[in-house]
Amino acid sequence: MSEADGTGALGTGAGGTDDDTILSVQGLTKHFSQSDGMLSALFDEPPVRAVEDVSFDVKRGETLGLVGESGCGKSTLARTILRLVDPTDGAVYFEGDNLAELSGSNLRERRRDLQMIFQDPQSSLDPRMKVGPIVEEPMKAHGLYKGEREERARELLEKVGLDPHHYNRYPHQFSGGQRQRINLARALSVNPDFIVCDEPVSALDVSIQAQVLNTMQELQDEFGLTYLFIAHDLSVIRHISDRVAVMYLGKLVELAETEELFEHPEHPYTKALLDSIPVPDPRSEGARSVLEGDVPSPIEPPSGCRFRTRCPRLIQPDEFSMDSDTWKAVREFARAVDRRTFEADDRAAVRAEFFPDGTPSGRAGTVVDDALDRVADDEWEDAAEQLISTFADASICATEEPSYSVDPTIGDGEHFAACHLHRDDVEAPAPADD
Amino acid sequence: MSEPLLTVENLKTQFFTEEGTVRAVDGVNFEVNEGELVGLVGESGAGKSVAAQSIMRLVEEPGRIVDGTVTFDGKKLVDIEETPDGRMEESDEMLSNREMREQVRGREIAIVFQDPMESLNPVFKVGAQLREFIELNRGVNESEAKTIAVDMLREVGIPEPEARYDDYPHEFSGGMRQRVLIAMALACEPRLIIADEPTTALDVTVEGQILDLVSDLQERYDTAFLWVTHDMGVVAEICDRVNVMYLGEVIEEAEVDDLFHDTKHPYTEALLRSMPRPDRSVESLDPIKGVMPEAINPPSGCRFHTRCPEAREACKEFHPEYQDVSDADEAPHAVSCIKYERVGYEDSDPLQTEATGAFAGGLADMRGDDDGRDPAGVPGGEADE
Ligand SMILES: Nc1ncnc2c1ncn2[C@@H]1O[C@H](COP(=O)(O)OP(=O)(O)O)[C@@H](O)[C@H]1O
Ligand code: SF4
Ligand code: SF4
Ligand SMILES: [Mg+2]
């Protein structure tokens, strides 16, 4: 297992020299100021770090799934790639050109090859425009297909599975699934190579979802399209993607081929995500496990690994050598104190609840005992501070940003995992402790 | 077996709109036993929410419950009878609005909605809203109510409940707001909680937290749940028994394992086949053809006949009887499909629709989807279209 280069990049190098690569995202970063420019500059407010140092390649003709929970930066990443918002840092190479540096007509020209469709097929269609002109709009904007736009629009309507006779209807006369098809036809009208799809089927019922997904796959085959497919639904992602990238709090945490990622996830967040999906089969094996706590604020994200405040596998600091059960008890106690999830009227009861086999020995034990005293005295904050600084802040998970490439179990594609559990040991599978 | 806690019989709720009468819930039957977690599942527009609101008598204009009986613990929450001169009227036994308010809602039956923002007042602090609710419904004084409120917040997993007590709803995440509503629902120790898509708007890890919380609380308090959802994964995960709705009707009801592994209704089967799976790779999806028709003008006979892969001519004529088709030694399994009746299904010709594969190779087959729906709500896919 080798450490990837400094930025955690999976890129093929500037310019995307690899012929297979259609898009190369390198160290892409987007920070938003919290309020309008003037004010935030005046008060020196820290920015919202929505996307941080994200790197990956998209191969020609593939579907790269991008999954993560709401607010993790998926849409911002997509919009930054397309230059709908300007990046704070980093580069986006699309067939050799750095989109982050293009402007004016050069950017417009390139944009033609990169289209986007959104989640809500309703609000992305102008209700006053008829379907035909909606599909023709991008052709007009790019001055393409003059004289044959209507014909092309009708053809495309049919391609996406609509009746070409519906050319003169208004969007509200269509169902949700059909409206998403109109969006597809519009995106296809300028003959793009690459389509960013942001939650394109999330608003649809399952049976309609399946129809639209099938059409998208047919269109991909027919036109040789490449998709960056964003969704929060892991079942949809598993079905549609060739490779999958997982985001958490603005960072890419894992990327691998689909089967590899779902069957052999190597990042604790990916595991937690997979373990929390309810499986549509009452006989499905394996209890669902639950990830505790909430996603921290992207204004002051945790140092090192951004998942460390919730990670069930957080690595103990080098100075300690507790066995895994003891370390688990300490970790859970520290988090419970930090979040005040229990009442502490009785020190002995608290001790018995969190440390049924006794508190750890050595300095770890001293810190835990002291925290138990403080909690019993209602000094929660002091207790939490000491526990966190001793056990969490000194962990490698807090001091260093993880970025590793792992040997895949299935297939031979690259498997990137931003987790220190992979820091040295190649062979040993990570022990399951939860 | 003792009486069910909740019995819904022949419930009909309609909306009287300019375009016509929307038969949102059209003769629905199901029950919930003490301590049981019962699912009500179906695609959007099937009538799940209207059914849930009807039980609580929360249907708003232009909607009205026009027929049926809802019995909860012996009380008639809804009881509409036909008078000798043929009008539909509320019976004497049906609870008054005041009795609903004072005896049932919040106390005996609590309801949790999809969007917690709708149920929390944005201008008041979370703790104060919870405290006031407890004061009102449990007859305790302010400081007792506050203690209970903080305990409940802790119990549903709100971190730092003492500090969070003074936050406003917008300072809570979606998952935390839903926890508050569950705390509120539980605060009066109701016997039944009706939950209408309570986790639909939440992220999957947060949904997992809430589902765990619910299983936990249900065990502890033995509360019964009617869980409304469109998500078969959630159903498989938490429900004991499931009712499947399609276009205003419950078309199948079974214990959860039977529903998934001994599926009887073609709609349920098609729904299960159309889903991508998180736990395994599915080569190709098999969507249900067409869209659900409008409830204003439902198809004749079996309402699923326009999309059913097994539809035959007889399905257009006969409205299926909703009946128990289980063997004597099996758990009850109700279904409404004429395959299980003797009305001539076997001898009838397959319907010529896209769903039955009648258009092999045609344009419609290539599209294989929700096209062809007329804006006026006429279902697509018919041979004569
Ligand atoms: N206020 C209303 N006015 C008119 N029709 C309504 C109203 N509310 C619901 N409906 C209709 O009732 C039917 C059932 O809706 P609903 O119960 O919300 O479905 P579900 O909860 O299963 O998605 C739908 O056809 C819907 O359009
Ligand atoms: S780096 Fe540490 S905190 Fe982050 S996922 Fe790995 S073990 Fe967990
Ligand atoms: S009655 Fe006919 S159309 Fe309806 S579900 Fe059964 S087979 Fe299909
Ligand atoms: Mg609903």
Side-chain angles (χ1 to χ4, degrees):
Chain A
M1 215 157 290
S2 58
E3 191 160 349
D5 68 65
T7 58
L10 292 170
T12 48
T17 47
D18 190 335
D19 250 6
D20 265 2
T21 302
I22 185 167
L23 184 91
S24 180
V25 174
Q26 296 179 4
L28 200 61
T29 298
K30 178 66 197 176
H31 295 171
F32 292 106
S33 56
Q34 288 186 64
S35 45
D36 281 340
M38 276 273 288
L39 276 177
S40 90
L42 212 59
F43 295 106
D44 206 17
E45 282 181 77
V48 179
R49 310 169 84 90
V51 172
E52 192 94 65
D53 193 13
V54 168
S55 302
F56 61 86
D57 282 353
V58 186
K59 296 179 191 154
R60 195 179 301 278
E62 79 167 341
T63 298
L64 178 69
L66 180 62
V67 68
E69 297 179 276
S70 52
C72 75
K74 303 185 293 297
S75 296
T76 306
L77 176 61
R79 300 172 67 83
T80 314
I81 288 174
L82 295 175
R83 273 291 294 281
L84 297 173
V85 292
D86 287 331
T88 306
D89 201 358
V92 179
Y93 288 98
F94 180 73
E95 291 180 330
D97 291 332
N98 184 358
L99 297 180
E101 279 172 358
L102 290 184
S103 59
S105 62
N106 291 333
L107 179 61
R108 251 172 47 90
E109 183 72 7
R110 288 269 69 169
R111 265 208 188 123
R112 199 181 87 198
D113 300 324
L114 288 141
Q115 293 293 311
M116 179 152 183
I117 58 176
F118 298 93
Q119 168 172 4
D120 186 359
Q122 172 76 318
S123 65
S124 50
L125 295 173
D126 185 340
R128 291 156 307 180
M129 265 171 92
K130 290 180 177 168
V131 165
I134 286 178
V135 174
E136 287 161 24
E137 193 185 48
M139 298 188 249
K140 267 196 201 136
H142 288 283
L144 292 168
Y145 304 106
K146 215 164 173 198
E148 45 179 313
R149 286 178 194 146
E150 177 166 344
E151 191 189 340
R152 187 170 163 78
R154 287 182 192 273
E155 221 168 88
L156 283 165
L157 287 174
E158 185 165 349
K159 283 272 185 243
V160 300
L162 293 167
D163 188 339
H165 295 111
H166 292 174
Y167 181 92
N168 281 316
R169 290 195 178 169
Y170 288 97
H172 74 89
Q173 293 175 292
F174 292 87
S175 67
Q178 289 174 316
R179 284 196 288 259
Q180 202 52 286
R181 288 167 190 278
I182 298 171
N183 272 318
L184 270 170
R186 179 173 60 180
L188 288 172
S189 71
V190 287
N191 198 18
D193 298 321
F194 190 95
I195 303 186
V196 177
C197 319
D198 192 359
E199 304 268 6
V201 298
S202 308
L204 308 175
D205 273 316
V206 275
S207 69
I208 310 300
Q209 230 176 49
Q211 297 167 355
V212 174
L213 289 173
N214 282 356
T215 301
M216 288 185 69
Q217 283 179 320
E218 285 158 21
L219 294 171
Q220 179 168 43
D221 291 345
E222 182 171 348
F223 296 105
L225 297 168
T226 305
Y227 291 139
L228 176 63
F229 193 105
I230 301 173
H232 68 276
D233 183 329
L234 286 138
S235 312
V236 168
I237 284 287
R238 179 168 194 161
H239 180 70
I240 195 95
S241 312
D242 299 302
R243 294 191 304 143
V244 178
V246 183
M247 273 184 93
Y248 180 81
L249 199 55
K251 296 281 281 187
L252 198 65
V253 296
E254 185 160 11
L255 191 157
E257 288 180 352
T258 305
E259 204 63 17
E260 164 81 358
L261 187 108
F262 277 82
E263 296 301 328
H264 300 282
E266 295 290 357
H267 194 285
Y269 175 66
T270 310
K271 281 190 187 141
L273 207 54
L274 295 178
D275 283 348
S276 54
I277 322 169
V279 175
D281 180 357
R283 290 184 193 168
S284 95
E285 303 279 310
R288 206 163 32 70
S289 79
V290 162
L291 187 58
E292 279 173 28
D294 290 304
V295 184
S297 155
I299 294 170
E300 272 180 282
S303 63
C305 169
R306 289 190 176 184
F307 185 52
R308 67 180 171 87
T309 55
R310 304 167 76 195
C311 179
R313 303 285 308 278
L314 180 80
I315 296 164
Q316 60 179 310
D318 284 341
E319 82 167 277
F320 303 113
S321 47
M322 292 174 254
D323 62 54
S324 70
D325 284 343
T326 311
W327 168 234
K328 184 176 178 212
V330 170
R331 199 172 57 215
E332 283 174 4
F333 176 62
R335 286 185 184 155
V337 171
D338 192 37
R339 307 178 72 225
R340 293 197 201 187
T341 54
F342 61 96
E343 282 178 289
D345 305 330
D346 178 354
R347 187 189 192 277
V350 174
R351 187 174 186 276
E353 188 192 331
F354 286 94
F355 302 97
D357 304 324
T359 48
S361 56
R363 196 173 96 82
T366 316
V367 174
V368 165
D369 280 324
D370 189 47
L372 282 166
D373 291 339
R374 289 180 195 234
V375 161
D377 289 343
D378 214 21
E379 294 166 12
W380 287 87
E381 248 159 69
D382 292 346
E385 205 183 293
Q386 201 176 9
L387 287 169
I388 296 298
S389 67
T390 308
F391 295 114
D393 294 348
S395 166
I396 182 176
C397 303
T399 56
E400 286 177 36
E401 277 193 38
S403 172
Y404 304 92
S405 105
V406 183
D407 287 332
T409 312
I410 299 176
D412 51 11
E414 200 159 5
H415 190 153
F416 166 78
C419 171
H420 290 304
L421 288 170
H422 301 286
R423 67 192 182 283
D424 30 43
D425 186 7
V426 183
E427 242 72 74
D433 76 348
D434 41 31
Chain B
M1 189 143 190
S2 58
E3 282 286 290
L5 180 62
L6 176 82
T7 309
V8 175
E9 294 163 279
N10 189 34
L11 181 69
K12 287 190 185 173
T13 303
Q14 301 179 344
F15 290 87
F16 298 92
T17 69
E18 271 174 33
E19 291 87 55
T21 304
V22 180
R23 306 160 76 98
V25 172
D26 209 25
V28 150
N29 298 285
F30 62 89
E31 47 201 45
V32 181
N33 293 305
E34 202 90 47
E36 197 184 21
L37 213 158
V38 175
L40 193 59
V41 66
E43 294 177 84
S44 53
K48 307 179 297 291
S49 296
V50 174
Q53 287 156 13
S54 302
I55 293 168
M56 294 291 265
R57 302 226 324 247
L58 291 171
V59 180
E60 282 173 13
E61 281 294 311
R64 193 146 43 85
I65 303 173
V66 298
D67 200 359
T69 306
V70 176
T71 314
F72 175 83
D73 188 29
K75 297 195 247 309
K76 300 281 184 218
L77 309 190
V78 173
D79 195 28
I80 315 261
E81 296 177 331
E82 192 168 349
T83 59
D85 58 349
R87 282 177 303 119
M88 305 306 290
E89 266 186 6
E90 298 179 0
S91 81
D92 298 337
E93 276 182 80
M94 182 161 150
L95 298 193
S96 66
N97 285 337
R98 181 165 171 184
E99 286 168 322
M100 274 306 282
R101 220 169 32 238
E102 291 181 354
Q103 299 174 18
V104 179
R105 273 185 227 132
R107 290 164 184 256
E108 293 274 348
I109 310 180
I111 188 158
V112 180
F113 296 103
Q114 174 172 342
D115 180 5
M117 263 332 232
E118 269 175 37
S119 313
L120 288 170
N121 189 329
V123 302
F124 294 109
K125 291 174 177 172
V126 169
Q129 294 188 56
L130 186 56
R131 190 204 68 225
E132 192 182 302
F133 183 82
I134 292 167
E135 255 182 273
L136 272 174
N137 288 289
R138 293 258 295 254
V140 292
N141 67 32
E142 191 177 320
S143 80
E144 284 168 328
K146 175 165 181 179
T147 310
I148 299 175
V150 171
D151 281 347
M152 291 304 307
L153 289 176
R154 182 175 297 112
E155 177 137 352
V156 297
I158 302 288
E160 303 185 54
E162 288 91 352
R164 291 302 206 137
Y165 186 89
D166 287 320
D167 279 357
Y168 288 94
H170 72 88
E171 296 174 90
F172 275 38
S173 68
M176 286 209 285
R177 286 196 289 262
Q178 203 53 286
R179 285 167 192 267
V180 171
L181 286 196
I182 289 172
M184 218 176 243
L186 283 168
C188 301
E189 300 178 1
R191 292 168 71 189
L192 174 67
I193 294 182
I194 299 177
D196 189 356
E197 308 251 14
T199 61
T200 299
L202 305 177
D203 276 318
V204 61
T205 60
V206 183
E207 172 175 82
Q209 294 171 348
I210 302 276
L211 296 182
D212 266 30
L213 172 68
V214 165
S215 315
D216 229 43
L217 295 170
Q218 197 212 359
E219 237 163 69
R220 194 129 30 106
Y221 296 101
D222 204 31
T223 316
F225 277 85
L226 178 63
W227 197 277
V228 176
T229 180
H230 69 280
D231 186 334
M232 283 294 200
V234 172
V235 167
E237 190 85 35
I238 61 166
C239 293
D240 301 315
R241 228 152 33 80
V242 193
N243 295 274
V244 183
M245 281 192 86
Y246 184 77
L247 203 48
E249 300 179 325
V250 172
I251 50 88
E252 182 163 11
E253 184 253 321
E255 291 192 350
V256 68
D257 191 77
D258 289 342
L259 189 90
F260 284 82
H261 293 285
D262 182 21
T263 316
K264 302 253 192 240
H265 197 284
Y267 171 65
T268 315
E269 236 171 80
L271 199 59
L272 290 172
R273 265 205 316 271
S274 70
M275 284 183 314
R277 300 275 303 228
D279 56 333
R280 59 166 190 253
S281 296
V282 182
E283 208 39 61
S284 73
L285 298 178
D286 190 3
I288 305 182
K289 300 288 192 291
V291 289
M292 194 162 70
E294 304 277 331
I296 271 192
N297 191 4
S300 65
C302 170
R303 293 188 175 176
F304 188 50
H305 85 248
T306 55
R307 304 170 73 196
C308 178
E310 299 176 60
R312 300 195 179 172
E313 289 293 339
C315 302
K316 266 162 84 172
E317 324 263 310
F318 297 96
H319 186 263
E321 182 122 19
Y322 185 54
Q323 53 173 352
D324 185 356
V325 296
S326 61
D327 292 335
D329 56 342
E330 292 175 334
H333 192 151
V335 62
S336 92
C337 166
I338 65 164
K339 280 202 301 178
Y340 303 92
E341 296 178 51
R342 284 208 198 99
V343 293
Y345 175 83
E346 290 77 12
D347 305 326
S348 172
D349 289 330
L351 269 186
Q352 299 291 304
T353 70
E354 197 194 325
T356 59
F359 294 150
L363 177 68
D365 194 58
M366 190 201 85
R367 296 185 219 138
D369 58 39
D370 59 336
D371 57 353
R373 188 178 95 145
D374 193 272
V378 179
E382 297 266 355
D384 54 1
E385 217 191 47

